[in-house]
Structures are given as structure tokens and as C-alpha cells.
Amino acid sequence: MRLIVADDYDAMSQSAGDELVSIITKRPSASVLVATGNTPMGLYRELANRRQNRQFDASRLRVFQLDEYLGLAPDDRRSLYGWMLRSFVEPLGIPSENVVRLPGDSDDPDAAGAAFEETILAAGGIDVAILGLGPNGHLGFNEPPAEPDSPTRVVDLTSASIDSNGQYWGGTEQVPRRALTTGMRILLAARQTLLVVSGAHKRDILSRTVSGPITPDVPASLLQAAPNVMVFADRAAWGSDLSRQAVQALLPATEI
Ligand code: F6R
């Protein structure tokens, strides 16, 4: 795991953008698992600008949706699918046939989750996962506790997630109580992972993610045992309570 601490949100988004463009340039047909939420939006804007400046071509990327609320049609204003299309797929000019939706509105969501995993495996697995960090340490909607081999499945959202997601839809009562999430076993097998984290409210959970015990109770801490994980944080999220030397002792390949 590498931790890159940038001065502020914009610098963090640029730094994650550098890494992602470099990955896509080396592998233009990469399979990408895409989070929504607020944190990666700066990164996605950064990518859209760079694509407009012809710095890279995203038209061959294969996109997989990370998570979705249960029972929402793709055109429901709360659907994470729509958010992913507006923020990532469309600005990057990725053809719709390259996008694999996680169908939270399926009659049999568990079977749909299993089929989704098979599609990922048939594509050769995930090359790069773009993730945000939940206030309770969730990744996607893998709420704590989440076992490392957990499949893509239906989950009940915790009150922490319902509260934090209320901000997107004008109140917690708008937030569906259940979701379909890509499971930890797919996330942890990604060849590369970029985790973006911003803001002082993520400080405690970020330090538990990168330097706490590896435990299903903090699903993001399982990334400590995964290959090629880069954590991009802004200084507000990392804080200044740990000295540079202390951080480097914790994580040998750290850029602060
Ligand atoms: C969104 C998702 C969630 C968010 C997390 C952080 O697709 O999977 O796990 O990444 O809740 O959300 P923000 O970035 O809004 O703080």
C-alpha cells in the first residue's frame, strides 16, 4: 500500500489523475471498477479535461459499476448508475456497450450479482478499481463486517451509510435501505486500486484503514493485504498528528 498525501482536494485529484492516465495509456482496454460518491468527482473532472486535451483515449475502456441501491430503475434520479454515466462514462466518451451495469432492479438481485461477477471474470478480472472510503470504512457498499471473500450480494445499509448518503438526495428518508454491491473478493483481486479520501471527517477512518489492524470490521483495512493499492488523501484527511518519519515507518513507500 502506498499513501500519497496532497496539499488539498484539487492537488489530490490531479495526482490520482496522473496515475490513472498512466494506467490507461499503458492499457487502453483496461477493465475499470468505478465508484460514485463525492470524493472521486474531482478526479473524474480532471480526467474529462485531460481527455478533451487529447492526453489519452478512453474509448476502449471497459467499465463496471461498483454498487447500486436495490430496486431503482436506471433512470431513477437516485441511481448510482446514472451518476456514473454523467460523471465518468459520458465525459470520457466511453461507448455504452463497454459499460456493465450492476442491476439493482433485478427480480433476483443475488443471481444478478453472481452473473455480474462471471462477466468480470470472463473479462479477465478488474485492472483498476477506483474507490472512495465510507465513514464506517465501507468500500462500495461492503458494510462492516465484510469478509475478504464476500461475493457480490445484497446488503442492508448501516445507519452510518444512510446518514452520509442522505446528503446526495436531500435527506436520509430518500435513501433506499438496501443495496447490491460488488463483493470484497472482486475488489481485493483488482490488479491496481486507487482509493481517494478527502476531508477532516475521514481522518479517523483513514488512519484505521492504512495503519490499523486488518479486520472485516474496517473493510477498507483489508486493502493493506491487496496488491498495488495507492491511497490518495488530502492533508485535511490525513491530518498532521503523525510526523513524516512516523508515517514512513508505518508505510515504507509513502509520499508526503
Ligand atoms: C459509491 C461508493 C461508496 C463511497 C463512499 C464515500 O459508489 O461505493 O463506498 O465511495 O461512501 O463516499 P464520499 O466520496 O461521498 O465520501
Side-chain angles (χ1 to χ4, degrees), residues 152-181:
T152 299
R153 66 201 182 288
V154 172
V155 291
D156 292 320
L157 298 187
T158 59
S159 54
S161 295
I162 293 168
D163 287 348
S164 77
N165 288 3
Q167 62 179 308
Y168 310 137
W169 320 116
T172 51
E173 62 287 348
Q174 302 291 328
V175 181
R177 271 33 185 178
R178 301 180 82 201
L180 183 59
T181 187

PDB file of all heavy atoms in Angstrom, residues 152-181:
ATOM      1  N   THR A 152     -20.389 -10.670  -4.587  1.00  0.00           N
ATOM      2  CA  THR A 152     -21.291  -9.585  -4.984  1.00  0.00           C
ATOM      3  C   THR A 152     -22.690  -9.983  -4.520  1.00  0.00           C
ATOM      4  O   THR A 152     -23.165 -11.063  -4.848  1.00  0.00           O
ATOM      5  CB  THR A 152     -21.208  -9.389  -6.507  1.00  0.00           C
ATOM      6  OG1 THR A 152     -19.855  -9.024  -6.810  1.00  0.00           O
ATOM      7  CG2 THR A 152     -22.167  -8.319  -6.996  1.00  0.00           C
ATOM      8  N   ARG A 153     -23.312  -9.119  -3.733  1.00  0.00           N
ATOM      9  CA  ARG A 153     -24.506  -9.561  -2.998  1.00  0.00           C
ATOM     10  C   ARG A 153     -25.366  -8.379  -2.547  1.00  0.00           C
ATOM     11  O   ARG A 153     -24.918  -7.227  -2.584  1.00  0.00           O
ATOM     12  CB  ARG A 153     -24.077 -10.341  -1.746  1.00  0.00           C
ATOM     13  CG  ARG A 153     -23.361  -9.434  -0.741  1.00  0.00           C
ATOM     14  CD  ARG A 153     -22.503 -10.193   0.233  1.00  0.00           C
ATOM     15  NE  ARG A 153     -21.887  -9.286   1.197  1.00  0.00           N
ATOM     16  CZ  ARG A 153     -20.903  -8.437   0.919  1.00  0.00           C
ATOM     17  NH1 ARG A 153     -20.412  -8.315  -0.304  1.00  0.00           N
ATOM     18  NH2 ARG A 153     -20.397  -7.649   1.862  1.00  0.00           N
ATOM     19  N   VAL A 154     -26.539  -8.753  -2.035  1.00  0.00           N
ATOM     20  CA  VAL A 154     -27.445  -7.753  -1.461  1.00  0.00           C
ATOM     21  C   VAL A 154     -27.012  -7.484  -0.024  1.00  0.00           C
ATOM     22  O   VAL A 154     -26.688  -8.414   0.722  1.00  0.00           O
ATOM     23  CB  VAL A 154     -28.891  -8.285  -1.489  1.00  0.00           C
ATOM     24  CG1 VAL A 154     -29.824  -7.346  -0.729  1.00  0.00           C
ATOM     25  CG2 VAL A 154     -29.359  -8.460  -2.927  1.00  0.00           C
ATOM     26  N   VAL A 155     -27.005  -6.212   0.361  1.00  0.00           N
ATOM     27  CA  VAL A 155     -26.637  -5.847   1.735  1.00  0.00           C
ATOM     28  C   VAL A 155     -27.660  -4.867   2.302  1.00  0.00           C
ATOM     29  O   VAL A 155     -28.291  -4.116   1.559  1.00  0.00           O
ATOM     30  CB  VAL A 155     -25.242  -5.164   1.801  1.00  0.00           C
ATOM     31  CG1 VAL A 155     -24.135  -6.143   1.494  1.00  0.00           C
ATOM     32  CG2 VAL A 155     -25.166  -3.973   0.866  1.00  0.00           C
ATOM     33  N   ASP A 156     -27.797  -4.909   3.630  1.00  0.00           N
ATOM     34  CA  ASP A 156     -28.569  -3.877   4.335  1.00  0.00           C
ATOM     35  C   ASP A 156     -27.612  -2.732   4.633  1.00  0.00           C
ATOM     36  O   ASP A 156     -26.523  -2.967   5.161  1.00  0.00           O
ATOM     37  CB  ASP A 156     -29.100  -4.431   5.669  1.00  0.00           C
ATOM     38  CG  ASP A 156     -30.159  -5.496   5.441  1.00  0.00           C
ATOM     39  OD1 ASP A 156     -30.993  -5.309   4.529  1.00  0.00           O
ATOM     40  OD2 ASP A 156     -30.137  -6.518   6.158  1.00  0.00           O
ATOM     41  N   LEU A 157     -28.017  -1.510   4.319  1.00  0.00           N
ATOM     42  CA  LEU A 157     -27.142  -0.372   4.612  1.00  0.00           C
ATOM     43  C   LEU A 157     -27.170  -0.077   6.105  1.00  0.00           C
ATOM     44  O   LEU A 157     -28.213  -0.199   6.761  1.00  0.00           O
ATOM     45  CB  LEU A 157     -27.592   0.861   3.839  1.00  0.00           C
ATOM     46  CG  LEU A 157     -27.542   0.727   2.316  1.00  0.00           C
ATOM     47  CD1 LEU A 157     -27.833   2.068   1.658  1.00  0.00           C
ATOM     48  CD2 LEU A 157     -26.182   0.227   1.860  1.00  0.00           C
ATOM     49  N   THR A 158     -26.015   0.309   6.640  1.00  0.00           N
ATOM     50  CA  THR A 158     -25.952   0.702   8.047  1.00  0.00           C
ATOM     51  C   THR A 158     -26.472   2.128   8.185  1.00  0.00           C
ATOM     52  O   THR A 158     -26.530   2.885   7.206  1.00  0.00           O
ATOM     53  CB  THR A 158     -24.500   0.676   8.554  1.00  0.00           C
ATOM     54  OG1 THR A 158     -23.747   1.572   7.739  1.00  0.00           O
ATOM     55  CG2 THR A 158     -23.896  -0.716   8.455  1.00  0.00           C
ATOM     56  N   SER A 159     -26.799   2.499   9.422  1.00  0.00           N
ATOM     57  CA  SER A 159     -27.305   3.870   9.610  1.00  0.00           C
ATOM     58  C   SER A 159     -26.231   4.892   9.267  1.00  0.00           C
ATOM     59  O   SER A 159     -26.536   5.979   8.763  1.00  0.00           O
ATOM     60  CB  SER A 159     -27.825   4.061  11.032  1.00  0.00           C
ATOM     61  OG  SER A 159     -26.834   3.701  11.938  1.00  0.00           O
ATOM     62  N   ALA A 160     -24.939   4.548   9.451  1.00  0.00           N
ATOM     63  CA  ALA A 160     -23.858   5.481   9.081  1.00  0.00           C
ATOM     64  C   ALA A 160     -23.911   5.766   7.579  1.00  0.00           C
ATOM     65  O   ALA A 160     -23.761   6.916   7.139  1.00  0.00           O
ATOM     66  CB  ALA A 160     -22.494   4.887   9.451  1.00  0.00           C
ATOM     67  N   SER A 161     -24.149   4.737   6.778  1.00  0.00           N
ATOM     68  CA  SER A 161     -24.185   4.931   5.320  1.00  0.00           C
ATOM     69  C   SER A 161     -25.449   5.664   4.900  1.00  0.00           C
ATOM     70  O   SER A 161     -25.416   6.526   4.011  1.00  0.00           O
ATOM     71  CB  SER A 161     -24.119   3.584   4.600  1.00  0.00           C
ATOM     72  OG  SER A 161     -22.875   2.985   4.850  1.00  0.00           O
ATOM     73  N   ILE A 162     -26.574   5.328   5.546  1.00  0.00           N
ATOM     74  CA  ILE A 162     -27.830   6.016   5.199  1.00  0.00           C
ATOM     75  C   ILE A 162     -27.679   7.506   5.512  1.00  0.00           C
ATOM     76  O   ILE A 162     -28.014   8.369   4.695  1.00  0.00           O
ATOM     77  CB  ILE A 162     -29.015   5.386   5.965  1.00  0.00           C
ATOM     78  CG1 ILE A 162     -29.231   3.951   5.453  1.00  0.00           C
ATOM     79  CG2 ILE A 162     -30.278   6.224   5.814  1.00  0.00           C
ATOM     80  CD1 ILE A 162     -30.153   3.110   6.300  1.00  0.00           C
ATOM     81  N   ASP A 163     -27.091   7.815   6.677  1.00  0.00           N
ATOM     82  CA  ASP A 163     -26.899   9.225   7.045  1.00  0.00           C
ATOM     83  C   ASP A 163     -25.992   9.927   6.044  1.00  0.00           C
ATOM     84  O   ASP A 163     -26.290  11.008   5.568  1.00  0.00           O
ATOM     85  CB  ASP A 163     -26.261   9.341   8.442  1.00  0.00           C
ATOM     86  CG  ASP A 163     -27.259   8.982   9.531  1.00  0.00           C
ATOM     87  OD1 ASP A 163     -28.456   8.871   9.211  1.00  0.00           O
ATOM     88  OD2 ASP A 163     -26.827   8.798  10.683  1.00  0.00           O
ATOM     89  N   SER A 164     -24.855   9.306   5.706  1.00  0.00           N
ATOM     90  CA  SER A 164     -23.918  10.031   4.850  1.00  0.00           C
ATOM     91  C   SER A 164     -24.450  10.130   3.427  1.00  0.00           C
ATOM     92  O   SER A 164     -24.173  11.095   2.727  1.00  0.00           O
ATOM     93  CB  SER A 164     -22.516   9.417   4.900  1.00  0.00           C
ATOM     94  OG  SER A 164     -22.458   8.259   4.142  1.00  0.00           O
ATOM     95  N   ASN A 165     -25.267   9.184   2.984  1.00  0.00           N
ATOM     96  CA  ASN A 165     -25.793   9.263   1.620  1.00  0.00           C
ATOM     97  C   ASN A 165     -27.010  10.176   1.503  1.00  0.00           C
ATOM     98  O   ASN A 165     -27.388  10.555   0.396  1.00  0.00           O
ATOM     99  CB  ASN A 165     -26.115   7.860   1.086  1.00  0.00           C
ATOM    100  CG  ASN A 165     -24.842   7.086   0.775  1.00  0.00           C
ATOM    101  OD1 ASN A 165     -23.742   7.574   1.010  1.00  0.00           O
ATOM    102  ND2 ASN A 165     -24.983   5.895   0.256  1.00  0.00           N
ATOM    103  N   GLY A 166     -27.587  10.548   2.659  1.00  0.00           N
ATOM    104  CA  GLY A 166     -28.717  11.472   2.628  1.00  0.00           C
ATOM    105  C   GLY A 166     -28.339  12.800   1.975  1.00  0.00           C
ATOM    106  O   GLY A 166     -29.167  13.448   1.330  1.00  0.00           O
ATOM    107  N   GLN A 167     -27.072  13.189   2.100  1.00  0.00           N
ATOM    108  CA  GLN A 167     -26.622  14.463   1.534  1.00  0.00           C
ATOM    109  C   GLN A 167     -26.797  14.509   0.008  1.00  0.00           C
ATOM    110  O   GLN A 167     -26.970  15.568  -0.572  1.00  0.00           O
ATOM    111  CB  GLN A 167     -25.136  14.695   1.874  1.00  0.00           C
ATOM    112  CG  GLN A 167     -24.246  13.619   1.271  1.00  0.00           C
ATOM    113  CD  GLN A 167     -22.761  13.800   1.560  1.00  0.00           C
ATOM    114  OE1 GLN A 167     -22.210  14.875   1.328  1.00  0.00           O
ATOM    115  NE2 GLN A 167     -22.122  12.753   2.054  1.00  0.00           N
ATOM    116  N   TYR A 168     -26.723  13.354  -0.651  1.00  0.00           N
ATOM    117  CA  TYR A 168     -26.826  13.368  -2.118  1.00  0.00           C
ATOM    118  C   TYR A 168     -28.258  13.580  -2.592  1.00  0.00           C
ATOM    119  O   TYR A 168     -28.487  14.025  -3.707  1.00  0.00           O
ATOM    120  CB  TYR A 168     -26.346  12.041  -2.734  1.00  0.00           C
ATOM    121  CG  TYR A 168     -25.001  11.541  -2.265  1.00  0.00           C
ATOM    122  CD1 TYR A 168     -24.827  10.190  -1.977  1.00  0.00           C
ATOM    123  CD2 TYR A 168     -23.915  12.388  -2.134  1.00  0.00           C
ATOM    124  CE1 TYR A 168     -23.603   9.698  -1.561  1.00  0.00           C
ATOM    125  CE2 TYR A 168     -22.693  11.903  -1.713  1.00  0.00           C
ATOM    126  CZ  TYR A 168     -22.545  10.565  -1.420  1.00  0.00           C
ATOM    127  OH  TYR A 168     -21.344  10.078  -1.006  1.00  0.00           O
ATOM    128  N   TRP A 169     -29.219  13.179  -1.764  1.00  0.00           N
ATOM    129  CA  TRP A 169     -30.602  13.112  -2.268  1.00  0.00           C
ATOM    130  C   TRP A 169     -31.563  13.970  -1.444  1.00  0.00           C
ATOM    131  O   TRP A 169     -32.772  13.746  -1.463  1.00  0.00           O
ATOM    132  CB  TRP A 169     -31.100  11.655  -2.279  1.00  0.00           C
ATOM    133  CG  TRP A 169     -30.069  10.672  -2.723  1.00  0.00           C
ATOM    134  CD1 TRP A 169     -29.530   9.678  -1.985  1.00  0.00           C
ATOM    135  CD2 TRP A 169     -29.422  10.628  -3.988  1.00  0.00           C
ATOM    136  NE1 TRP A 169     -28.574   9.021  -2.722  1.00  0.00           N
ATOM    137  CE2 TRP A 169     -28.493   9.575  -3.950  1.00  0.00           C
ATOM    138  CE3 TRP A 169     -29.531  11.383  -5.172  1.00  0.00           C
ATOM    139  CZ2 TRP A 169     -27.671   9.244  -5.026  1.00  0.00           C
ATOM    140  CZ3 TRP A 169     -28.709  11.052  -6.238  1.00  0.00           C
ATOM    141  CH2 TRP A 169     -27.812  10.004  -6.163  1.00  0.00           C
ATOM    142  N   GLY A 170     -31.030  14.898  -0.660  1.00  0.00           N
ATOM    143  CA  GLY A 170     -31.909  15.813   0.068  1.00  0.00           C
ATOM    144  C   GLY A 170     -32.583  15.181   1.269  1.00  0.00           C
ATOM    145  O   GLY A 170     -33.765  15.433   1.523  1.00  0.00           O
ATOM    146  N   GLY A 171     -31.880  14.328   1.984  1.00  0.00           N
ATOM    147  CA  GLY A 171     -32.438  13.798   3.241  1.00  0.00           C
ATOM    148  C   GLY A 171     -32.330  12.286   3.311  1.00  0.00           C
ATOM    149  O   GLY A 171     -32.401  11.596   2.289  1.00  0.00           O
ATOM    150  N   THR A 172     -32.180  11.801   4.547  1.00  0.00           N
ATOM    151  CA  THR A 172     -31.963  10.364   4.726  1.00  0.00           C
ATOM    152  C   THR A 172     -33.192   9.547   4.331  1.00  0.00           C
ATOM    153  O   THR A 172     -33.064   8.389   3.940  1.00  0.00           O
ATOM    154  CB  THR A 172     -31.616  10.035   6.197  1.00  0.00           C
ATOM    155  OG1 THR A 172     -32.607  10.631   7.025  1.00  0.00           O
ATOM    156  CG2 THR A 172     -30.271  10.557   6.593  1.00  0.00           C
ATOM    157  N   GLU A 173     -34.401  10.173   4.408  1.00  0.00           N
ATOM    158  CA  GLU A 173     -35.602   9.380   4.079  1.00  0.00           C
ATOM    159  C   GLU A 173     -35.645   8.993   2.592  1.00  0.00           C
ATOM    160  O   GLU A 173     -36.341   8.064   2.196  1.00  0.00           O
ATOM    161  CB  GLU A 173     -36.882  10.107   4.527  1.00  0.00           C
ATOM    162  CG  GLU A 173     -37.185  11.443   3.910  1.00  0.00           C
ATOM    163  CD  GLU A 173     -36.261  12.581   4.410  1.00  0.00           C
ATOM    164  OE1 GLU A 173     -35.520  12.417   5.402  1.00  0.00           O
ATOM    165  OE2 GLU A 173     -36.284  13.628   3.762  1.00  0.00           O
ATOM    166  N   GLN A 174     -34.860   9.705   1.765  1.00  0.00           N
ATOM    167  CA  GLN A 174     -34.810   9.380   0.328  1.00  0.00           C
ATOM    168  C   GLN A 174     -33.899   8.178   0.031  1.00  0.00           C
ATOM    169  O   GLN A 174     -33.881   7.666  -1.082  1.00  0.00           O
ATOM    170  CB  GLN A 174     -34.225  10.571  -0.468  1.00  0.00           C
ATOM    171  CG  GLN A 174     -34.967  11.871  -0.324  1.00  0.00           C
ATOM    172  CD  GLN A 174     -36.318  11.803  -0.998  1.00  0.00           C
ATOM    173  OE1 GLN A 174     -36.485  11.117  -1.990  1.00  0.00           O
ATOM    174  NE2 GLN A 174     -37.288  12.467  -0.402  1.00  0.00           N
ATOM    175  N   VAL A 175     -33.094   7.794   1.017  1.00  0.00           N
ATOM    176  CA  VAL A 175     -32.055   6.795   0.740  1.00  0.00           C
ATOM    177  C   VAL A 175     -32.640   5.387   0.880  1.00  0.00           C
ATOM    178  O   VAL A 175     -33.163   5.033   1.943  1.00  0.00           O
ATOM    179  CB  VAL A 175     -30.868   6.951   1.725  1.00  0.00           C
ATOM    180  CG1 VAL A 175     -29.785   5.932   1.431  1.00  0.00           C
ATOM    181  CG2 VAL A 175     -30.313   8.371   1.678  1.00  0.00           C
ATOM    182  N   PRO A 176     -32.550   4.569  -0.180  1.00  0.00           N
ATOM    183  CA  PRO A 176     -33.008   3.186  -0.056  1.00  0.00           C
ATOM    184  C   PRO A 176     -32.223   2.470   1.047  1.00  0.00           C
ATOM    185  O   PRO A 176     -31.099   2.852   1.372  1.00  0.00           O
ATOM    186  CB  PRO A 176     -32.693   2.582  -1.430  1.00  0.00           C
ATOM    187  CG  PRO A 176     -32.623   3.758  -2.355  1.00  0.00           C
ATOM    188  CD  PRO A 176     -32.077   4.881  -1.533  1.00  0.00           C
ATOM    189  N   ARG A 177     -32.837   1.486   1.637  1.00  0.00           N
ATOM    190  CA  ARG A 177     -32.221   0.810   2.799  1.00  0.00           C
ATOM    191  C   ARG A 177     -31.375  -0.387   2.415  1.00  0.00           C
ATOM    192  O   ARG A 177     -30.679  -0.957   3.261  1.00  0.00           O
ATOM    193  CB  ARG A 177     -33.319   0.366   3.771  1.00  0.00           C
ATOM    194  CG  ARG A 177     -33.729   1.379   4.847  1.00  0.00           C
ATOM    195  CD  ARG A 177     -33.658   2.804   4.465  1.00  0.00           C
ATOM    196  NE  ARG A 177     -33.946   3.708   5.592  1.00  0.00           N
ATOM    197  CZ  ARG A 177     -33.903   5.019   5.522  1.00  0.00           C
ATOM    198  NH1 ARG A 177     -33.570   5.627   4.373  1.00  0.00           N
ATOM    199  NH2 ARG A 177     -34.156   5.780   6.570  1.00  0.00           N
ATOM    200  N   ARG A 178     -31.472  -0.822   1.179  1.00  0.00           N
ATOM    201  CA  ARG A 178     -30.696  -1.999   0.764  1.00  0.00           C
ATOM    202  C   ARG A 178     -29.974  -1.698  -0.538  1.00  0.00           C
ATOM    203  O   ARG A 178     -30.364  -0.784  -1.290  1.00  0.00           O
ATOM    204  CB  ARG A 178     -31.614  -3.205   0.593  1.00  0.00           C
ATOM    205  CG  ARG A 178     -32.352  -3.531   1.881  1.00  0.00           C
ATOM    206  CD  ARG A 178     -33.264  -4.720   1.695  1.00  0.00           C
ATOM    207  NE  ARG A 178     -32.544  -5.971   1.810  1.00  0.00           N
ATOM    208  CZ  ARG A 178     -32.967  -7.130   1.305  1.00  0.00           C
ATOM    209  NH1 ARG A 178     -34.070  -7.187   0.617  1.00  0.00           N
ATOM    210  NH2 ARG A 178     -32.272  -8.229   1.484  1.00  0.00           N
ATOM    211  N   ALA A 179     -28.924  -2.475  -0.787  1.00  0.00           N
ATOM    212  CA  ALA A 179     -28.117  -2.211  -1.980  1.00  0.00           C
ATOM    213  C   ALA A 179     -27.519  -3.511  -2.493  1.00  0.00           C
ATOM    214  O   ALA A 179     -27.503  -4.526  -1.790  1.00  0.00           O
ATOM    215  CB  ALA A 179     -27.007  -1.218  -1.648  1.00  0.00           C
ATOM    216  N   LEU A 180     -27.044  -3.439  -3.738  1.00  0.00           N
ATOM    217  CA  LEU A 180     -26.287  -4.546  -4.330  1.00  0.00           C
ATOM    218  C   LEU A 180     -24.861  -4.021  -4.477  1.00  0.00           C
ATOM    219  O   LEU A 180     -24.673  -2.921  -5.007  1.00  0.00           O
ATOM    220  CB  LEU A 180     -26.902  -4.861  -5.698  1.00  0.00           C
ATOM    221  CG  LEU A 180     -26.353  -6.031  -6.511  1.00  0.00           C
ATOM    222  CD1 LEU A 180     -26.469  -7.344  -5.735  1.00  0.00           C
ATOM    223  CD2 LEU A 180     -27.136  -6.155  -7.831  1.00  0.00           C
ATOM    224  N   THR A 181     -23.904  -4.765  -3.948  1.00  0.00           N
ATOM    225  CA  THR A 181     -22.519  -4.278  -4.022  1.00  0.00           C
ATOM    226  C   THR A 181     -21.586  -5.326  -4.596  1.00  0.00           C
ATOM    227  O   THR A 181     -21.746  -6.519  -4.327  1.00  0.00           O
ATOM    228  CB  THR A 181     -21.994  -3.854  -2.631  1.00  0.00           C
ATOM    229  OG1 THR A 181     -20.703  -3.242  -2.795  1.00  0.00           O
ATOM    230  CG2 THR A 181     -21.851  -5.016  -1.653  1.00  0.00           C
TER     231      THR A 181
END
